Amino acid sequence: MTDTAIEADALAKRFGRLGRATWALRDCSFRLPAGRVCAVVGPNGAGKSTLLALAAGLTAPTGGTVTVLGTTPGAARARVGFVAQDKPLYPQLSIAETLRMGADLNPGHWDAAAAQRVVAGGDLDPKKRIRSLSGGQRTRVALALALGKRPELLLMDEPMADLDPLARHELMGVLMAQAAEHGTTIVMSSHVVAELEDSCDHLLLIGEGRVRLAGEIDELLEGHARVSAPAQSDLSPHTVIESRTTGRQVSALVRPVGTLRADWQGGTPSLEELVLSYLRNPEAPALTPAKSEEFSA
Amino acid sequence: MSAALTAPTRVHLTRWVVRLHRPALYLWTALILALAAALLWLAGPLADAAAEAWQRYNACADMGPCAYDQDAILRYKDYYEYATYAVLAVPFLVAAWSGASLIGREVENGTARLAWTQGLSPVRWLATKLALPALLVTVGTGALVALHRHAWVAGDGRIDTAKSWSDFATFYASGPVVVALALTGLVAGALIGLRRASSFGALGGGLCVTAFLWFGIHLLIPHLWSTVTKVTPMAHNVGPSGNGISVTQGVITATGARIADAHCTADTTAQCQAYYADLDAVSWFNDYHPAAHYWPLQWIATGILLAVTALLTVVTFRGLRRRTTTPEGAAV
């Protein structure tokens, strides 16, 4: 057992051939401790899906390394669950057959009861074919298949996008119970920050193929401050992520170095504010574990 | 750890490959059974009726009009052709299905990724997906060519209009070359299905690769075994003789030199005689494969195609492994 769920070192993935190649992920380094519920956040096309596919052993990196549960993604396959963004399932199978297939393809660690509980929560007839299900119902079956595997690490790409608020709430509850009961590390990507704030304790913010922020959400929030100061104030030596001058006031989001001046009004930003500030300002310096250690040193 | 949940058992992928491709399995079985029945019918009642009609015709050929069953002769000829082309279509059918349905659709719909994130490696997945169809294709196509050969033998020497062994459609439909081509089609379809994200593109690609390889082996076959040369004196004035697959024909001059492809294109015999006299030709020659070369040619061509199939299989598996495994990831 390792205490690290995912560790990426200078991970890079390029698509396409020379000349027309685009980097989906570039120089991506972070460490996700085991047992966390991690949100992978970023705009569309930021590289979230690529990162999850690399960790799931579905695609090989162009450069760098990724270690999953202490080994290669390929070797960790049996211990990792994956739910792809479009929730692919075999349309010709029934729900019951899909779960039986899960049992046959995951010998030794299939939890039939857990899988059935997820399906039963949606009041679905097990005899129903996958092709006749709605998007939300398919998501439920895909989650059942992934949870039935009893994974140590569960990777989910936009898992909740198709679900109505009730189902979203219920399935998030199922996931959190799984994480609490079995110590499962959960990694889910989303571009809706609000839906992750309550359930996630770790954040990985990706923008333009690079890691912009990585760490425990509490620590990240505490490491930043919202300040309101007179327009001419010198904000240095604090690292300014974003600043906006309105009239005689400048409002900014900063990474304080030392203590902030007492006459500046401030507060802790919300997760959404933090994320948006970083996304709006691609030039703002990234904050990843390696760098935060430098800071504390 | 979680391994203690239930006793470890084996991965059961085979039954799911069968379940997911059940319609194709039924269709394949029906196709093989229908074609086999047609070939047996051709070899039995149809060949017998045509042979009898020819016997009657030949018996009374010199004695003016006679009664014989012309329809039986034509029926054998037509059905023989249909059955031959049906057997020749099998490699294309397999390639199209492999590219479009077996692999292409799984990659296109993302279900391949679903399978690759279960408790088995992508390589294992592909191996099972190919092994089972390969077995069924070998058995089914093998049975068809054996029955086609049986139907051809039933007509050979008894039916005057029966095709020669060297007729190319007959040559391919009644030998192992077509079985090897079906396997090549299976692997070619899978290779392209994994590389292209659209099942329609993989369908076309699988067909093209199969057609290309068939064309290639067709050009190669006459040169796979040393030919027999038959020399006919020019005096007979009948052209080169020797029945089979001809490789080079021409004339031999008085000095012993061979001139290939020396075909007279003139209209009259006198002009042709002058043409050959001009060349100083004394005899015809024909480098060809007689009927005795049938099996050596078949087996060598089959061997080459199986080698190509093996190569395509290695490329397919290496491509999948490279695509899904990290460079350091020796463990799969």
Side-chain angles (χ1 to χ4, degrees), chain A residues 77 90 97 104 106 149, chain B residues 15-16 19 106 117-118:
Chain A
R77 213 173 283 281
Y90 292 104
E97 280 178 311
D104 275 350
N106 295 285
K149 191 176 177 179
Chain B
R15 72 169 67 134
W16 292 101
R19 171 63 189 91
E106 289 243 17
T117 46
Q118 305 303 311

Side-chain angles (χ1 to χ4, degrees), chain A residues 101-139:
Chain A
M101 184 181 74
D104 275 350
L105 300 188
N106 295 285
H109 52 89
W110 180 257
D111 188 346
Q116 250 139 26
R117 262 200 309 277
V118 177
V119 169
D123 206 16
L124 291 174
D125 176 6
K127 292 198 201 79
K128 236 177 158 185
R129 301 236 172 241
I130 298 295
R131 68 162 60 88
S132 66
L133 300 181
S134 71
Q137 290 170 326
R138 281 169 63 109
T139 298

Side-chain angles (χ1 to χ4, degrees), chain A residues 126-188:
Chain A
K127 292 198 201 79
K128 236 177 158 185
R129 301 236 172 241
I130 298 295
R131 68 162 60 88
S132 66
L133 300 181
S134 71
Q137 290 170 326
R138 281 169 63 109
T139 298
R140 189 177 281 278
V141 178
L143 277 174
L145 196 57
L147 282 173
K149 191 176 177 179
R150 189 61 77 76
E152 289 169 47
L153 168 65
L154 180 55
L155 305 166
M156 295 182 289
D157 199 357
E158 304 273 357
M160 304 296 171
D162 280 332
L163 295 172
D164 62 68
L166 267 180
R168 191 177 290 215
H169 190 260
E170 183 231 324
L171 283 173
M172 207 57 128
V174 171
L175 287 174
M176 292 312 121
Q178 165 89 9
E181 195 181 336
H182 304 291
T184 314
T185 309
I186 295 180
V187 178
M188 55 181 132

Side-chain angles (χ1 to χ4, degrees), chain A residues 1 57-61 65 72 77 82 88-90 92-93 97 101 104-108 129 149-150 152, chain B residues 1 5-6 9 11-12 15-16 19-20 106 109-111 116-120 122 322-326 328-329:
Chain A
M1 188 75 188
L58 290 172
T59 182
T65 56
T72 62
R77 213 173 283 281
F82 179 73
L89 292 167
Y90 292 104
Q92 67 267 47
L93 298 186
E97 280 178 311
M101 184 181 74
D104 275 350
L105 300 188
N106 295 285
R129 301 236 172 241
K149 191 176 177 179
R150 189 61 77 76
E152 289 169 47
Chain B
M1 169 110 319
L5 261 182
T6 41
T9 47
V11 168
H12 294 290
R15 72 169 67 134
W16 292 101
R19 171 63 189 91
L20 292 171
E106 289 243 17
N109 292 350
T111 45
W116 300 347
T117 46
Q118 305 303 311
L120 75 165
R322 199 175 311 147
R323 169 171 157 179
T324 56
T325 324
T326 51
E328 301 76 2

Side-chain angles (χ1 to χ4, degrees), chain B residues 14-28:
Chain B
T14 311
R15 72 169 67 134
W16 292 101
V17 172
V18 172
R19 171 63 189 91
L20 292 171
H21 300 286
R22 206 159 58 188
L25 180 66
Y26 290 161
L27 207 68
W28 176 251

Side-chain angles (χ1 to χ4, degrees), chain B residues 264-317:
Chain B
C264 171
T265 49
D267 294 333
T268 67
T269 315
Q271 280 172 320
C272 272
Q273 277 169 346
Y275 170 73
Y276 287 120
D278 241 22
L279 291 174
D280 199 16
V282 291
S283 49
W284 310 98
F285 77 90
N286 183 16
D287 297 337
Y288 76 110
H289 295 287
H293 290 187
Y294 177 78
W295 288 112
L297 291 177
Q298 282 278 358
W299 286 118
I300 294 172
T302 303
I304 291 172
L305 283 173
L306 288 180
V308 171
T309 307
L311 193 74
L312 289 179
T313 309
V314 170
V315 171
T316 309
F317 275 91

Side-chain angles (χ1 to χ4, degrees), chain A residues 2 10 14 23 40-42 47 49 78 85 87 109 112 120 123 126 137 168 181 188 191 201-202 211 254 258 273 294:
Chain A
T2 165
R14 188 182 54 205
W23 291 91
V40 181
V41 180
S49 297
Q85 189 168 9
K87 320 293 179 304
H109 52 89
D123 206 16
Q137 290 170 326
R168 191 177 290 215
E181 195 181 336
M188 55 181 132
H191 51 249
D201 48 25
H202 202 93
V211 177
V254 299
E273 280 174 326
E294 278 167 32

Side-chain angles (χ1 to χ4, degrees), chain A residues 247-286:
Chain A
R248 279 183 291 170
Q249 285 282 309
V250 57
S251 18
L253 186 97
V254 299
R255 218 146 68 198
V257 178
T259 45
L260 291 165
R261 273 176 59 171
D263 59 333
W264 293 351
Q265 296 179 354
T268 311
S270 72
L271 182 62
E272 189 148 22
E273 280 174 326
L274 183 70
V275 165
L276 288 177
S277 299
Y278 271 87
L279 291 182
R280 275 195 297 257
N281 299 277
E283 312 80 31

